[in-house]
Amino acid sequence: MCKDVTLHCLGICSDLNTKEYWMNLVVDQNLPRLGAGISRTVYALNSEQALKIEEDESGWRDSQCAKEVTRWRESKPARRELLATIFESGDRWLIMERASTTLQRYRGDDDPHAIIANLRKKIAVGDLHAGNVGVFKGSFKIIDYGM
């Protein structure tokens, strides 16, 4: 098993496509847990990337990770600017751009309600709320778009 997280996005490790690989990495490297939702847990890979692992064992078609990957791949560039970047994905996991914080915890001058209303005008995403919007160097992107 490859232990160096920096190698993952380079595709050097042959076994990194399995959920089990990533679960072992979480334990082996004691990755910090950033949060959890209905079916996934999110861990910090490093300061710029987050790992989402599907906990629910329902079919791949129902997977939130699969839905996010599909939405990312099918979105036009203008819409992609509103979504956190997905770097890598596999069966029941994905690696996504990591936000510095969520809009829910954001303490800037911008009005969270106005930010969400503006995002809703530009893209339809179910379950869009302050906890699903991330702050990225002064801009706001949706970090959970798998619903």
Side-chain angles (χ1 to χ4, degrees), residues 2 4-11 13 16 21-22 25 88 95:
C2 182
D4 187 350
V5 175
T6 61
L7 298 178
H8 297 297
C9 286
L10 299 176
C13 303
L16 69 87
Y21 171 82
W22 292 104
L25 185 84
E88 292 275 341
I95 297 173

Side-chain angles (χ1 to χ4, degrees), residues 2 6 10-11 21 33 38 42-43 60 88 94 104 118 145:
C2 182
T6 61
L10 299 176
Y21 171 82
R33 182 178 174 272
I38 294 170
V42 182
Y43 301 93
W60 175 243
E88 292 275 341
L94 63 82
Q104 189 173 22
N118 187 42
Y145 47 94

